[in-house]
Amino acid sequence: MIFGADYYPEHWPEERWREDAVLMKRIGINTIRIGEFGWSVIERKEGEIDFSLYDRAISLFAEYGIQTIMGTPTATPPAWLCQKYPDIYMMNRHGDMRGYGSRRHYCYNHKGYQKETERVVKMVARHYSHNDNIIAWQVDNELGCEDDVLCYCDRCRKAFTDWLKRKYGTLERVNEAWGTVFWSQTYTEWEQIIVPKDTVVDGYTGNGHNPGLMQDFKRFSSDSMYGYAKLQTEILREESNKIITHNMVSEQSDNYRLAELFDAIGYDAYPYSEWDYNSPGRIGFLYDLSRGYADKPLWILEQQSGPCGWNVLGETPKSGQLKLWSQQAASRGIEALIYFRWRTCPFGAEQYWYGILDHDGVPGKRYQEIGQAISSIQENEEYLRLPEKKKVLLVYDYDNKFCHDEQPHVRGFVYKEEVVRYYEALRRIHVPVRVGSLAENLDAYELVILPFISMIGKEDAERISRYVKNGGNIILTPFSGQRRINNQITTEILPGVFRNMSGVTVASFHAMEREIIPYEEIGNMQLWREELKLDNAESFRKNWISPEGGPLVSENRYGNGRVFYISCCMEAYDRMLQEICRETGTASGYGDIPECVECIEKSNCLILMNHSGEKQQVLLKGYRDIRNEKSSIIMEEYGFAVAVRN
């Protein structure tokens, strides 16, 4: 397995490199990741090419058995290049250029930068393609991380128009798809097409553009990022047969499609940062979402190794949490775990982004804890790398995310966070779950959860219908079947394409921005609820009643399968899902495991992780601890254990 650290030899005196290599080897680090921000290192001025610094670093670390992942340096076009192309920058919705001074300061559709990208990627690939110390390429770095997918410049307006021509063929079809007759927005010339910049109503609506335009612009923007990544992967494949990866973290791209380009799916994991304070379940969701992008190896290209932030620090991890997060990642069967970063930089924007070593470079508590994490993973690797059992598919769909991001129905509703609530509940009740797309093979799962699938195409709806008729089980939620694929609201009776299979009619709905309705047995209802009229369906639990006296959850026999409709948003779905999982045979039977202990079922074992700062007792059924052969396990705070079948 690859254990690594992000290392920037250009940040440190060369005489320090060897000491770093020795310290890395001592705790089991066998790989460094370099170069993704190094354009000015290899080309200080245009045409002055010098790879010698990286050559020496790669060679020195190789002496200690430490290999290298080489990044293409396109995430940070240098000052001389930006001076050459003063229009390289992205433009925001207000028409302002997002200029030089940080990173990712380029437009994906800038022809000049695409040409420069081709040149530098080809140059790096040719220089290192035959270097056996390089084991993989990383394309760019965190494409889309800084909300840099959506650009509103004239280049992107022209590219968007060309994209629409390819998709629709005629303006008449664009007008029909978007419903431009509304507000007299009908287009009669392609040159009239706009990108959704700030409008006169945005001060009180956020975005007042045509929903069809907004949806297609997000799809186009995602495709633009995909095209830029594809430009690089094609060059790397022409020049080399090394593995290609990328750290996929964007919220504005279809990452299932992006994943097609790479041999290994990369992810950057920061449970606590300036911007995040993630629950254990949300951390697991982000790992599993990345794993669900494609059936390819998962590489963690940046794993948190200390407190981090740019201008302020996020929560400092408690003693043992860094180790547990590493084990949590490894429990997903990853093939690479690379810590960001090796040593905290004393200059630049990430002075507060603490690494394995502090600014002084002296090994301390984090160095010891990361070493313990690596040792633990190596010791249990035969179990961690086993395939995971998957009974339930939780669908995460980017088309629906784009739609809900712009029109969330009610303030406070965030698509990703509401899907995470379902995931967290499944993990708390210890039901094995995979996160994946609508394109998954549904027949591989006993239960499929389709949270907030408002927009769905005919083909997907038919696949879901066949799955249920053949004996599958699905859960629908509010907003189901509400929209056509062009983002127009359906004129069918809701839940639209799901009405027949669900056996219910959505009779009414209630936005609940300021209202919370408590239920003693199942928790708090919030944000949104729908009133269901039972057609062929029945109430799933007679005592789960809406304020109007209707069912909160319905159940319908459809062919050989069943369709459940959860009619409201809940603060937590534990009880609802527990009851549905019991009915569908997907409930776990591992024994008595506290909610705070994450349980990952492998083919012949359980991986147990205590996310609590207190000791927990686990009473297993059918499993025993590999350390002492007991079914009763006392787990230390932030502890880890493996149990095998009896």
Side-chain angles (χ1 to χ4, degrees):
M1 183 171 165
I2 296 170
F3 293 100
D6 291 282
Y7 192 74
Y8 301 97
E10 64 268 30
H11 293 177
W12 309 107
E14 191 163 343
E15 55 269 22
R16 169 71 193 207
W17 296 354
R18 191 171 299 276
E19 182 178 351
D20 287 331
V22 171
L23 289 171
M24 288 181 191
K25 188 173 179 63
R26 189 172 295 162
I27 60 170
I29 288 176
N30 54 32
T31 304
I32 54 173
R33 186 184 71 136
I34 70 172
E36 74 272 25
F37 301 124
W39 196 325
S40 65
V41 176
I42 61 176
E43 191 175 15
R44 188 176 181 86
K45 294 182 179 179
E46 184 175 12
E48 294 183 8
I49 311 302
D50 183 2
F51 285 98
S52 62
L53 184 143
Y54 286 148
D55 290 346
R56 294 193 302 275
I58 292 166
S59 177
L60 183 146
F61 280 87
E63 293 177 24
Y64 295 86
I66 298 173
Q67 298 175 304
T68 299
I69 297 170
M70 190 74 195
T72 62
T74 52
T76 48
W80 62 259
L81 191 149
C82 295
Q83 185 179 34
K84 179 180 178 180
Y85 299 101
D87 62 342
I88 192 176
Y89 307 109
M90 304 189 83
M91 179 180 286
N92 67 18
R93 291 187 66 240
H94 306 290
D96 302 320
M97 285 291 185
R98 301 175 67 185
Y100 190 80
S102 183
R103 63 182 188 180
R104 308 221 45 74
H105 38 271
Y106 61 81
C107 169
Y108 293 117
N109 290 305
H110 191 283
K111 298 298 184 184
Y113 193 60
Q114 290 176 0
K115 184 178 177 181
E116 295 287 355
T117 294
E118 288 182 28
R119 182 181 65 83
V120 74
V121 172
K122 190 168 292 187
M123 188 168 65
V124 171
R126 287 177 176 173
H127 186 80
Y128 288 117
S129 62
H130 300 294
N131 188 325
D132 292 338
N133 297 316
I134 305 287
I135 61 169
W137 308 110
Q138 177 186 296
V139 169
D140 204 276
N141 185 76
E142 294 184 335
L143 291 167
C145 175
E146 278 83 29
D147 192 24
D148 56 26
V149 179
L150 305 177
C151 177
Y152 301 83
C153 71
D154 286 340
R155 283 182 309 273
C156 288
R157 189 203 64 79
K158 175 62 168 61
F160 180 43
T161 302
D162 292 340
W163 184 92
L164 292 170
K165 288 178 180 178
R166 292 192 297 272
K167 178 173 181 177
Y168 292 104
T170 67
L171 270 175
E172 287 72 20
R173 292 182 63 193
V174 173
N175 287 321
E176 181 183 1
W178 294 357
T180 54
V181 68
F182 186 82
W183 280 353
S184 192
Q185 291 178 347
T186 302
Y187 296 103
T188 57
E189 301 288 342
W190 285 107
E191 289 71 22
Q192 297 166 0
I193 296 287
I194 62 169
V195 293
K197 289 184 180 180
D198 196 21
T199 74
V200 295
V201 303
D202 283 4
Y204 58 90
T205 66
N207 196 326
H209 280 284
N210 182 294
L213 163 65
M214 291 192 294
Q215 188 73 13
D216 271 339
F217 183 68
K218 288 206 164 188
R219 291 164 173 162
F220 153 76
S221 300
S222 175
D223 284 355
S224 295
M225 194 181 95
Y226 171 90
Y228 182 72
K230 188 171 185 282
L231 171 71
Q232 298 203 29
T233 58
E234 287 180 342
I235 295 170
L236 293 172
R237 294 201 190 283
E238 288 173 3
E239 301 293 337
S240 165
N241 60 2
K242 299 182 190 297
I243 292 170
I244 303 175
T245 189
H246 174 72
N247 39 357
M248 297 167 55
V249 298
S250 176
E251 296 289 325
Q252 298 288 354
S253 71
D254 182 347
N255 289 332
Y256 296 110
R257 183 164 186 244
L258 187 63
E260 297 169 3
L261 298 174
F262 309 114
D263 304 306
I265 306 306
Y267 174 63
D268 291 353
Y270 293 102
Y272 292 175
S273 73
E274 176 181 349
W275 304 280
D276 295 298
Y277 183 77
N278 291 315
S279 68
R282 195 174 190 277
I283 299 167
F285 172 84
L286 294 170
Y287 286 131
D288 284 341
L289 175 62
S290 303
R291 187 180 60 170
Y293 289 148
D295 287 325
K296 297 178 180 180
L298 177 60
W299 288 19
I300 306 301
L301 292 167
E302 297 183 18
Q303 178 71 41
Q304 184 169 351
S305 58
C308 52
W310 281 10
N311 300 311
V312 297
L313 289 175
E315 188 84 7
T316 298
K318 304 292 190 296
S319 180
Q321 279 189 307
L322 293 174
K323 178 182 176 182
L324 186 62
W325 292 337
S326 299
Q327 293 163 327
Q328 189 180 16
S331 71
R332 271 68 186 175
I334 62 174
E335 295 190 3
L337 182 63
I338 299 166
Y339 292 94
F340 189 92
R341 51 187 289 164
W342 171 248
R343 181 177 173 185
T344 316
C345 195
F347 47 78
E350 294 183 346
Q351 293 171 311
Y352 288 171
W353 210 280
Y354 283 81
I356 297 174
L357 305 183
D358 282 336
H359 299 93
D360 57 20
V362 178
K365 289 175 63 177
R366 293 196 304 277
Y367 176 82
Q368 301 298 331
E369 188 170 330
I370 298 300
Q372 292 166 7
I374 293 172
S375 295
S376 171
I377 292 168
Q378 289 173 327
E379 180 182 341
N380 295 288
E381 190 170 347
E382 65 175 296
Y383 301 108
L384 294 168
R385 295 289 293 276
L386 289 171
E388 185 179 344
K389 287 283 188 72
K390 309 178 191 79
K391 291 184 178 181
V392 176
L393 173 66
L394 178 65
V395 169
Y396 189 84
D397 180 70
Y398 281 97
D399 234 12
N400 276 278
K401 180 186 184 298
F402 296 163
C403 166
H404 288 302
D405 283 351
E406 296 299 337
Q407 294 181 292
H409 287 80
V410 60
R411 274 185 286 264
F413 180 91
V414 179
Y415 171 76
K416 184 175 186 176
E417 301 311 314
E418 294 306 311
V419 176
V420 168
R421 290 185 196 276
Y422 275 89
Y423 179 93
E424 289 177 313
L426 290 167
R427 284 301 184 194
R428 284 193 295 264
I429 63 175
H430 310 301
V431 172
V433 56
R434 174 181 171 89
V435 182
S437 74
L438 276 170
E440 288 267 348
N441 175 18
L442 304 182
D443 294 332
Y445 305 93
E446 299 171 31
L447 174 65
V448 175
I449 305 176
L450 299 163
F452 315 107
I453 299 298
S454 174
M455 181 185 300
I456 186 166
K458 181 179 178 182
E459 184 178 330
D460 282 327
E462 289 175 349
R463 282 198 314 113
I464 293 167
S465 178
R466 286 196 301 271
Y467 163 73
V468 180
K469 283 182 177 179
N470 292 334
N473 304 290
I474 66 168
I475 296 176
L476 300 174
T477 74
F479 313 139
S480 292
Q482 186 188 71
R483 292 175 181 267
R484 299 174 179 144
I485 205 70
N486 58 13
N487 209 13
Q488 292 186 18
I489 300 289
T490 183
T491 55
E492 297 179 50
I493 297 172
L494 295 180
V497 296
F498 294 115
R499 188 182 177 205
N500 185 38
M501 70 178 86
S502 67
V504 299
T505 295
V506 177
S508 184
F509 58 83
H510 302 268
M512 300 168 59
E513 182 182 345
R514 297 177 179 85
E515 184 181 13
I516 293 177
I517 301 176
Y519 283 81
E520 184 176 347
E521 185 180 359
I522 56 177
N524 293 334
M525 181 192 298
Q526 59 185 15
L527 294 176
W528 189 269
R529 62 187 174 92
E530 298 174 349
E531 295 179 41
L532 300 182
K533 173 182 170 292
L534 298 176
D535 299 331
N536 300 319
E538 298 178 351
S539 179
F540 176 60
R541 290 290 182 264
K542 301 296 184 185
N543 57 329
W544 295 358
I545 303 300
S546 73
E548 291 73 31
L552 284 184
V553 181
S554 66
E555 175 186 4
N556 188 44
R557 300 275 180 174
Y558 184 69
N560 295 320
R562 283 184 285 187
V563 178
F564 301 88
Y565 197 111
I566 296 176
S567 67
C568 55
C569 293
M570 300 291 293
E571 187 176 49
Y573 294 94
D574 302 45
R575 182 62 190 278
M576 284 183 172
L577 291 179
Q578 190 172 52
E579 293 294 310
I580 292 174
C581 287
R582 283 174 181 163
E583 290 289 324
T584 57
T586 53
S588 64
Y590 309 133
D592 186 4
I593 304 177
E595 288 183 359
C596 60
V597 175
E598 184 177 6
C599 177
I600 303 292
E601 183 181 0
K602 300 286 187 172
S603 54
N604 68 349
C605 69
L606 300 178
I607 309 298
L608 301 167
M609 292 162 282
N610 177 18
H611 291 279
S612 165
E614 299 177 352
K615 290 183 180 181
Q616 300 292 329
Q617 184 176 25
V618 174
L619 299 174
L620 294 175
K621 185 177 172 182
Y623 291 87
R624 65 186 188 280
D625 192 335
I626 61 170
R627 297 168 297 185
N628 57 25
E629 299 293 312
K630 293 182 178 180
S631 60
S632 175
I633 304 174
I634 301 298
M635 300 195 69
E636 299 296 326
E637 55 269 28
Y638 307 116
F640 171 89
V642 177
V644 294
R645 288 187 188 277
N646 289 332

